[in-house]
Amino acid sequence: MSKIPKQPEKKQKASEKYQSDDNFAYRSVIISAILGVIAFIFSLLFNIQIITVFMNINLLWTLIDVSIKVIMILLFFLFIITSYANYKELIGKRLNWKDLIVFIFLSIGQTLLNPSVFILTLIGIFIILIYLFLIQE
Amino acid sequence: MKKEIFKVLTCIVIINITVISLFLLVNGNCAVEEIDSKYGDPPIIDGHIDLSAKEWSKAFKDNDIKLEDLPIKLWVMHDNENLYISVQIEIFPGYHSINEFIGLIISNSSSENKEDFIDARIIQFTNISTNKYNYFDYNVSDSVFLIDTEENGDGAAKLEKITSTYEFALPIKGDDTDKDDAALDYGNSYAFNITYGETQSYPDGIKKSAIVLINIQSLTPSIISITNLVLYVLIVLVFSIIGILLFVYIYRIFKLKEYMERYKR
């Protein structure tokens, strides 16, 4: 029969697991934030119309241009929301509806110059929100 | 006897129909496309479309126009003074004629009858390999090209790799509009016969052509610019706010890292 009490070992394991989860969450915060920033930079270049090489050539290039703009905004929304949700979890809080609304406004605000991008982004954000809602435990 | 008379009459009728049909074919022009010119910043007329400087970025663009079997790219826009038209031709290296030219034969209205095409602007390469060209302003009368006493507008051309680019600037509604020129005005449509040729002889040198109808939109740039300006300011504001928030957020992430390391210790 072991003389060493089992309780501290369990506690140590739990603590290690907790730290490992924290590290994983922190890594997720960093990586998602970096990807969000990259998507934001691309969104800025295309949506402020600094890069206009695909615009006003023909229908196909216009579609490509609109797709790039929409995809960049949606990626920004998805990565930033993931990063911020993990960040809040690390500081012991939860992502609430107010945060979500701010992110939705900041994403939709990027589409002001193009009505097609606005509509498609709105639809995209709606789909992402449904997806995030459904995968919640 | 009756049969012979019938045969002769039938022959006469067929010949008449054929001749009349040929006459109709020669004079029956038809616009291949109707284009609404767009308002935008004036491009530099130098035979080069500088996409990095957003030249012609606001122009109407059509890559599917054909001068018979020759595909061209057509760019049309206008500002407060001029109508700008650019034509690009892509032909395999070595197939560009040394004396290639692009001409715009302009109708004084949307009419596509031959006699209504009274004005012609031509950019004629004198030597395409050295990019030397001349811009001509002609008055057209009964298909005869007469050089205009007063040259109006501007034109330039350049061959870059396989693409030759022709840029025209045609004055719109100037008070001093030459009576020999088509009097272009805002809110009206004009038929343009875009022509391509390989020798400096007009109209004999014209090899291919197509008519397009260009609607010069009325001027409402002030309203458009204010709306655009407001939207642009708003979007810049949104991106600035996001930028600042991201900066603050990244700062807080690093602070969190420090806090976590302290907590571990």
Side-chain angles (χ1 to χ4, degrees), chain A:
Chain A
M1 190 179 166
S2 171
K3 287 179 181 176
I4 304 159
K6 281 181 179 174
Q7 203 62 19
E9 197 180 319
K10 264 187 185 174
K11 268 187 184 174
Q12 198 183 344
K13 272 186 182 173
S15 167
E16 274 173 10
K17 190 179 178 297
Y18 178 73
Q19 277 189 7
S20 159
D21 281 353
D22 274 2
N23 283 336
F24 178 75
Y26 185 75
R27 225 175 39 233
S28 167
V29 168
I30 291 276
I31 291 168
S32 303
I34 290 168
L35 291 173
V37 169
I38 291 168
F40 170 71
I41 292 165
F42 275 101
S43 168
L44 178 116
L45 293 174
F46 282 95
N47 283 301
I48 284 199
Q49 295 177 0
I50 295 167
I51 295 176
T52 55
V53 284
F54 304 136
M55 288 172 71
N56 301 323
I57 299 171
N58 57 28
L59 185 66
L60 179 71
W61 283 109
T62 307
L63 282 174
I64 291 169
D65 182 64
V66 169
S67 308
I68 292 171
K69 286 171 178 170
V70 173
I71 289 167
M72 286 305 139
I73 295 170
L74 293 179
L75 285 178
F76 162 80
F77 178 75
L78 192 67
F79 286 129
I80 286 298
I81 226 169
T82 310
S83 173
Y84 194 67
N86 284 334
Y87 170 82
K88 281 210 116 179
E89 207 165 305
L90 279 175
I91 58 170
K93 291 177 184 172
R94 296 188 84 177
L95 191 73
N96 55 37
W97 276 104
K98 279 180 197 168
D99 298 327
L100 261 182
I101 288 166
V102 169
F103 283 119
I104 290 169
F105 270 103
L106 290 178
S107 303
I108 292 295
Q110 297 175 40
T111 67
L112 287 175
L113 290 185
N114 194 326
S116 331
V117 177
F118 173 81
I119 292 164
L120 291 171
T121 307
L122 207 64
I123 295 166
I125 286 175
F126 184 67
I127 292 167
I128 289 173
L129 286 179
I130 290 173
Y131 167 74
L132 290 176
F133 181 75
L134 289 177
I135 60 162
Q136 292 296 311
E137 287 171 8

Side-chain angles (χ1 to χ4, degrees), chain A residues 18-19 22-23 26 29-30 33 36-37 40 43-44 47-50 52-53 55-58 76 80 83-85 87 90-91 102 105-107 109-113, chain B residues 38 51 54 56-64 75 228 231-232 234-236 238-243 245-246 249-250 252-260 263-264:
Chain A
Y18 178 73
Q19 277 189 7
D22 274 2
N23 283 336
Y26 185 75
V29 168
I30 291 276
V37 169
F40 170 71
S43 168
L44 178 116
N47 283 301
I48 284 199
Q49 295 177 0
I50 295 167
T52 55
V53 284
M55 288 172 71
N56 301 323
I57 299 171
N58 57 28
F76 162 80
I80 286 298
S83 173
Y84 194 67
Y87 170 82
L90 279 175
I91 58 170
V102 169
F105 270 103
L106 290 178
S107 303
Q110 297 175 40
T111 67
L112 287 175
L113 290 185
Chain B
K38 299 272 178 71
L51 291 173
K54 294 185 180 176
W56 295 89
S57 62
K58 298 275 168 64
F60 171 91
K61 297 174 190 102
D62 195 325
N63 298 338
D64 299 323
W75 310 52
N228 279 349
L231 284 175
Y232 206 80
L234 273 174
I235 202 165
V236 168
V238 168
F239 274 98
S240 307
I241 291 167
I242 298 171
L245 289 177
L246 280 177
Y249 176 55
I250 288 164
R252 283 172 72 175
I253 292 174
F254 282 110
K255 279 278 168 196
L256 179 71
K257 177 80 176 167
E258 283 172 20
Y259 172 77
M260 280 171 70
Y263 181 75
K264 268 185 208 171

Side-chain angles (χ1 to χ4, degrees), chain B residues 20-263:
Chain B
I20 291 165
S21 305
L22 282 173
F23 178 77
L24 285 173
L25 277 174
V26 170
N27 287 284
N29 297 319
C30 178
V32 291
E33 187 112 15
E34 189 170 346
I35 290 166
D36 292 329
S37 79
K38 299 272 178 71
Y39 183 88
D41 296 326
I44 299 164
I45 303 299
D46 57 357
H48 172 69
I49 295 176
D50 189 357
L51 291 173
S52 60
K54 294 185 180 176
E55 252 195 349
W56 295 89
S57 62
K58 298 275 168 64
F60 171 91
K61 297 174 190 102
D62 195 325
N63 298 338
D64 299 323
I65 289 182
K66 282 188 175 174
L67 306 183
E68 293 160 33
D69 58 343
L70 177 71
I72 60 163
K73 288 179 182 172
L74 184 67
W75 310 52
V76 183
M77 61 182 286
H78 67 271
D79 66 357
N80 296 335
E81 292 175 357
N82 295 306
L83 174 70
Y84 301 96
I85 297 173
S86 177
V87 178
Q88 284 189 315
I89 306 170
E90 284 179 10
I91 311 178
F92 289 112
Y95 282 83
H96 280 281
S97 168
I98 198 158
N99 290 129
E100 184 182 285
F101 74 83
I102 282 287
L104 300 175
I105 306 174
I106 311 163
S107 168
N108 56 7
S109 65
S110 57
S111 163
E112 291 157 30
N113 295 327
K114 252 187 175 177
E115 60 270 22
D116 291 317
F117 288 90
I118 57 152
D119 190 9
R121 313 296 168 98
I122 292 168
I123 301 173
Q124 171 75 60
F125 273 111
T126 50
N127 187 348
I128 201 166
S129 53
T130 54
N131 274 324
K132 285 191 176 157
Y133 64 87
N134 286 320
Y135 168 74
F136 297 114
D137 182 359
Y138 281 102
N139 173 240
V140 184
S141 177
D142 293 330
S143 298
V144 178
F145 283 57
L146 306 163
I147 196 93
D148 232 349
T149 46
E150 195 183 330
E151 189 179 286
N152 287 303
D154 195 10
K158 193 181 267 183
L159 175 70
E160 290 169 307
K161 292 178 185 170
I162 61 164
T163 308
S164 53
T165 305
Y166 298 80
E167 291 182 321
F168 293 88
L170 314 172
I172 306 174
K173 208 194 176 181
D175 292 332
D176 54 346
T177 304
D178 188 352
K179 66 177 187 309
D180 292 334
D181 289 336
L184 303 178
D185 198 1
Y186 297 101
N188 291 336
S189 301
Y190 298 90
F192 281 73
N193 190 2
I194 303 169
T195 57
Y196 165 86
E198 294 174 348
T199 49
Q200 195 169 345
S201 164
Y202 325 114
D204 304 333
I206 295 171
K207 279 193 149 185
K208 299 168 197 297
S209 64
I211 295 174
V212 293
L213 200 63
I214 296 178
N215 306 320
I216 307 173
Q217 303 289 299
S218 298
L219 277 175
T220 49
S222 53
I223 299 164
I224 295 165
S225 348
I226 288 166
T227 319
N228 279 349
L229 193 72
V230 170
L231 284 175
Y232 206 80
V233 168
L234 273 174
I235 202 165
V236 168
L237 205 70
V238 168
F239 274 98
S240 307
I241 291 167
I242 298 171
I244 292 164
L245 289 177
L246 280 177
F247 185 77
V248 172
Y249 176 55
I250 288 164
Y251 174 76
R252 283 172 72 175
I253 292 174
F254 282 110
K255 279 278 168 196
L256 179 71
K257 177 80 176 167
E258 283 172 20
Y259 172 77
M260 280 171 70
E261 275 168 2
R262 251 185 295 160
Y263 181 75

